[in-house]
Amino acid sequence: PFPSSIDKGTSIEIWHTNHNRFETNAPVRVFVPYKIGQQQNILAAYTCTPLVKFDVSSLKPGTKVLGSTIAELGMGNNPLDMIVYNKDGKEFFLMSNDRRGVMKLPTADLGATPALTAYVSGTAGVPYETIAALTNVQQLDKFNDQQALILQNNAGSLDLKTVALP
C-alpha cells in the first residue's frame, strides 16, 4: 500500500519574533494562497501570531525555505480562520483569533513589507484594525462580495450568520 519512493518534502523555517529565534516546528494554524504582484504566495498565521509569507515557487522537494515574517500580531494568541476580500477597490484579509478578536489587514504593501528579524514584545509589521463588532468568531468564510459567513460562539451556542465585510 506504500509507494516505493516518497518526496523529501520542503522544510520551512520562520523567524518567530516573540520567541526571538528561528523555528521549524512552530504550528501553522491558518493560511491562504495570495498573489503578490505576479508571484503566488502563501500567507500563513502561526500560534502566537507571527504572519509569514512564502513564495510558492521556492517550495521544492528537499529544500529548506525561510519564510518572511511580515507581522507580529500578539503573543498568546491562536489564529482560527482567514479570508481575503475586496472592499471599495482595496484588498484586505480578515483573520479571526481566539484572544484578539477579528483583525482586518490591508494587502496593498505586502510585497514591500520588510521582514521582521528581531525580537518583538507587542505587535509590529503589517498594521491591523480590530473589528470590535465581531467577537468570538470561530470560523469565517467569504459569502459573497459584500458579506462574510461566520460561526460565532454566543454563550456556549454556535450561531451561523452573515455579516457585512468590514
Side-chain angles (χ1 to χ4, degrees):
F2 300 105
S4 59
S5 66
I6 298 172
D7 274 347
K8 293 181 180 184
T10 303
S11 173
I12 58 173
E13 185 173 73
I14 67 162
W15 175 256
H16 198 298
T17 54
N18 189 263
H19 296 169
N20 199 30
R21 66 178 182 214
F22 286 104
E23 295 183 353
T24 57
N25 291 325
V28 171
R29 298 285 302 196
V30 297
F31 64 92
V32 292
Y34 185 74
K35 200 174 255 191
I36 299 174
Q38 296 302 311
Q39 195 63 40
Q40 189 65 49
N41 282 260
I42 294 172
L43 298 177
Y46 286 74
T47 298
C48 287
T49 338
L51 180 65
V52 181
K53 67 180 178 178
F54 295 95
D55 178 347
V56 171
S57 68
S58 67
L59 302 175
K60 299 184 186 323
T63 62
K64 183 176 185 178
V65 174
L66 178 62
S68 177
T69 303
I70 56 174
E72 172 57 58
L73 302 174
M75 68 177 220
N77 190 32
N78 289 306
L80 300 173
D81 212 346
M82 185 165 37
I83 61 170
V84 177
Y85 69 98
N86 289 292
K87 181 152 185 167
D88 299 326
K90 295 179 182 174
E91 202 164 47
F92 301 93
F93 62 98
L94 205 58
M95 183 183 348
S96 61
N97 297 276
D98 66 348
R99 294 194 183 131
R100 298 188 187 274
V102 174
M103 298 173 170
K104 177 182 176 182
L105 298 98
T107 63
D109 296 325
L110 291 184
T113 301
L116 299 173
T117 58
Y119 175 73
V120 173
S121 64
T123 61
V126 178
Y128 69 90
E129 170 190 355
T130 300
I131 307 302
L134 297 177
T135 59
N136 302 317
V137 175
Q138 306 297 299
Q139 283 189 287
L140 59 102
D141 207 343
K142 187 175 170 189
F143 186 69
N144 58 34
D145 288 341
Q146 292 82 35
Q147 296 176 305
L149 181 66
I150 65 170
L151 187 62
Q152 187 175 43
N153 188 339
N154 185 12
S157 73
L158 294 175
D159 296 341
L160 183 65
K161 57 179 140 178
T162 58
V163 295
L165 287 165

